[in-house]
Amino acid sequence: MKTLREYIKEAEEKKVAIGHFNISNLEGLHGIYQAAKKLNVPVIIGLSEGEEDFVGKDEAVGMIKQIREKENFPIFLNADHHYSFERVKASIDAGFDAVIFDGANISLEENIKITKQCVEYAKGLGRDVLVEAEIGYIGSGSNIKETIPEGAGIKTTPEEAKNFVEMTGIDMLAPSVGSIHGIIKSGKPHIDADLVAEIKKVTGIPLVLHGGSGLRDEDFTNGIKAGISIVHINTEIRLAYDEALKKSLVDNPGEIVPYKILQPAVEAIEKVVEERLKLFNSLK
Ligand SMILES: [Zn+2]
């Protein structure tokens, strides 16, 4: 099987993007995997620090490896938004395929310093681990927000991106190009595709779009055409899970079998992921 790096390269060439979806439990994984399998496209499972603590690092690595090796399916595991070298290192040591050091909200100097430390650690291993980093704060938390958080959404300039990539040696970059983490109630953010294209041109590495939930279809397609190779979706899945689970509990007050109560939630996740994967991979 091709490596994650090779799948990303392939996505770059085909001008499509690999979907990255977060999980908090086994239901999430099942829903996402079913959708990816149905469409036969590679997929990345993400775990933030909180999600990772809840699922368990070793358990997550075990589940993904089982599917990848036994089913021969391209599913990969990413440590999404880790905020210290120690947390990044722990995920790498546990066997994650990729990691994100998120220093978007600390000083640029510190961000460069810790990102470099993560890159050096990853490069010193006997296996290929991808390191992604962020510049430009786009808010945090996959939740519903009334408005854009203070200080968030200042776009990354091509020059900043170029310097950051050269200074750190990262494999992938998440710049701030218009999206915001979470779903913004006051209006849909807009992706600056021209900026994506400029950043792509000067950095030459795969770009990752965070805060994809709630964006218009054309924002995704324009961004992907301009150079986005991975798109992160989390809030939309959480919302679908939450709504389906609440409905299931209300509709079946006498039901106590967890796998029956939770089945509609798995299906709801699958539906969201399938739609997003079709769009990202330009499938009908
Ligand atoms: Zn993110």
Side-chain angles (χ1 to χ4, degrees):
M1 186 189 297
K2 288 192 278 267
T3 62
L4 176 57
R5 191 184 293 276
E6 290 164 340
Y7 276 107
I8 295 168
K9 187 89 208 135
E10 198 176 275
E12 269 185 305
E13 286 160 9
K14 285 160 92 182
K15 291 205 180 289
V16 298
I18 300 176
H20 174 293
F21 305 94
N22 292 63
I23 63 165
S24 286
N25 52 30
L26 193 57
E27 296 97 91
L29 177 61
H30 282 166
I32 296 161
Y33 174 50
Q34 291 308 328
K37 198 165 126 181
K38 194 169 161 187
L39 301 172
N40 197 25
V41 291
V43 72
I44 303 169
I45 301 294
L47 291 167
S48 66
E49 288 186 356
E51 289 161 344
E52 189 184 275
D53 291 340
F54 191 73
V55 174
K57 270 193 283 293
D58 297 331
E59 290 83 348
V61 170
M63 290 192 296
I64 301 302
K65 279 198 175 156
Q66 276 295 312
I67 298 176
R68 189 157 74 207
E69 286 161 19
K70 289 213 167 165
E71 311 278 321
N72 195 31
F73 192 85
I75 184 167
F76 300 95
L77 189 63
N78 178 43
D80 191 15
H81 295 288
H82 278 39
Y83 294 97
S84 64
F85 170 71
E86 290 69 28
R87 291 282 322 222
V88 165
K89 180 183 179 295
S91 301
I92 292 175
D93 292 346
F96 281 59
D97 303 297
V99 291
I100 301 179
F101 170 67
D102 183 348
N105 211 15
I106 57 175
S107 73
L108 183 63
E109 202 187 1
E110 272 294 288
N111 190 357
I112 291 171
K113 192 180 134 210
I114 303 171
T115 300
K116 265 175 96 169
Q117 201 182 356
C118 297
V119 170
E120 274 157 25
Y121 186 71
K123 296 287 171 265
L125 301 163
R127 66 186 185 94
D128 192 18
V129 178
L130 298 171
V131 178
E132 176 185 333
E134 317 221 342
I135 36 168
Y137 181 57
I138 63 160
S140 58
S142 298
N143 48 26
I144 314 286
K145 295 177 173 69
E146 291 298 327
T147 54
I148 293 173
E150 214 183 302
I154 297 166
K155 289 178 191 170
T156 306
T157 67
E159 196 186 10
E160 282 168 345
K162 185 175 186 282
N163 289 338
F164 187 81
V165 170
E166 283 173 0
M167 299 277 285
T168 58
I170 48 170
D171 300 294
M172 304 187 284
L173 176 71
S176 172
V177 290
S179 59
I180 296 290
H181 278 123
I183 291 178
I184 314 298
K185 274 179 143 182
S186 63
K188 287 178 191 290
H190 174 68
I191 298 300
D192 188 341
D194 293 339
L195 179 59
V196 171
E198 279 183 62
I199 293 176
K200 176 79 191 176
K201 201 175 137 199
V202 298
T203 61
I205 63 169
L207 301 181
V208 183
L209 182 71
H210 286 248
S213 290
L215 293 182
R216 294 175 194 86
D217 284 4
E218 63 264 34
D219 274 301
F220 286 118
T221 45
N222 293 340
I224 292 167
K225 268 186 227 139
I228 296 289
S229 303
I230 296 174
V231 180
H232 280 232
I233 299 286
N234 192 1
T235 312
E236 288 178 3
I237 306 176
R238 288 182 169 179
L239 202 59
Y241 177 84
D242 182 70
E243 280 172 1
L245 178 57
K246 280 175 183 155
K247 186 174 184 301
S248 176
L249 289 166
V250 170
D251 290 352
N252 309 286
E255 187 58 73
I256 64 155
V257 180
Y259 63 77
K260 290 184 181 170
I261 295 169
L262 289 162
Q263 187 55 34
V266 176
E267 286 161 18
I269 291 174
E270 185 180 338
K271 196 163 164 267
V272 170
V273 173
E274 192 183 332
E275 284 310 307
R276 287 315 192 195
L277 284 176
K278 277 185 187 163
L279 186 68
F280 303 162
N281 290 279
S282 49
L283 303 169
K284 284 283 161 238

